[in-house]
Amino acid sequence: MTTRREHILDAVKSALAGTTSVGTRIYRSRVTALTRAESPALLISWSADNASQTTSLATLDWTLEIQIAVIVRGDTPDEVADPIVESLHSKIMASTLGGYTMDVIPTGTTNENFDADQPGGVVTCSYQIKYRTLNNNLAAV
């Protein structure tokens, strides 16, 4: 059995298919470096998944915090990333994420530029995803 969190993360990856300029370069929790040929790319990860008891003692409401990093190369990395960010945001906000979620809330965007053989950057878009499980079963509602 798979947790609802895993279903949601898989649904995020699926929803991002066809993102502007990215092609199939969409990765979950990738830890190896990207080559120049692999950018632009999207990296999906999560940083926290916090529960609170609902008024019904049989269920938990969860807040999953995810990050989608846009990895780009170019003289002005944030400018290169901008149409990708716009595309991914539209896709995430329009998706039902497999019907597993109650709400998706954008929480911010950060930018980091770095020096490499070609200037690069990482624009990270953060979201909170609200969902519900049974108190004793992370795979069911």
Side-chain angles (χ1 to χ4, degrees):
M1 201 175 322
T2 303
T3 65
R4 289 182 75 80
R5 178 180 58 235
E6 274 303 307
H7 284 298
I8 291 166
L9 291 168
D10 287 342
V12 167
K13 184 176 180 183
S14 293
L16 293 173
T19 298
T20 300
S21 301
V22 172
T24 59
R25 296 177 306 273
I26 303 170
Y27 306 100
R28 279 260 333 261
S29 302
R30 181 176 169 142
V31 294
T32 57
L34 293 169
T35 66
R36 184 188 314 182
E38 291 178 299
S39 64
L42 300 179
L43 305 179
I44 303 162
S45 62
W46 65 278
S47 58
D49 197 13
N50 299 302
S52 61
Q53 188 72 54
T54 64
T55 54
S56 162
L57 296 178
T59 61
L60 296 169
D61 282 348
W62 292 86
T63 302
L64 174 62
E65 296 178 19
I66 69 164
Q67 294 76 42
I68 304 168
V70 180
I71 312 294
V72 295
R73 295 186 186 261
D75 290 335
T76 313
D78 57 313
E79 187 176 355
V80 174
D82 195 63
I84 301 168
V85 168
E86 194 269 330
S87 179
L88 81 82
H89 179 76
S90 294
K91 288 178 175 298
I92 291 295
M93 297 308 291
S95 176
T96 63
L97 298 179
Y100 293 105
T101 65
M102 298 183 306
D103 201 5
V104 177
I105 304 162
T107 58
T109 304
T110 61
N111 179 50
E112 180 182 353
N113 296 321
F114 55 87
D115 187 25
D117 58 336
Q118 181 181 11
V122 179
V123 176
T124 303
C125 303
S126 300
Y127 296 87
Q128 286 184 343
I129 299 175
K130 308 281 187 173
Y131 70 100
R132 181 172 286 157
T133 67
L134 291 177
N135 202 22
N136 62 353
N137 186 341
L138 295 179
V141 174

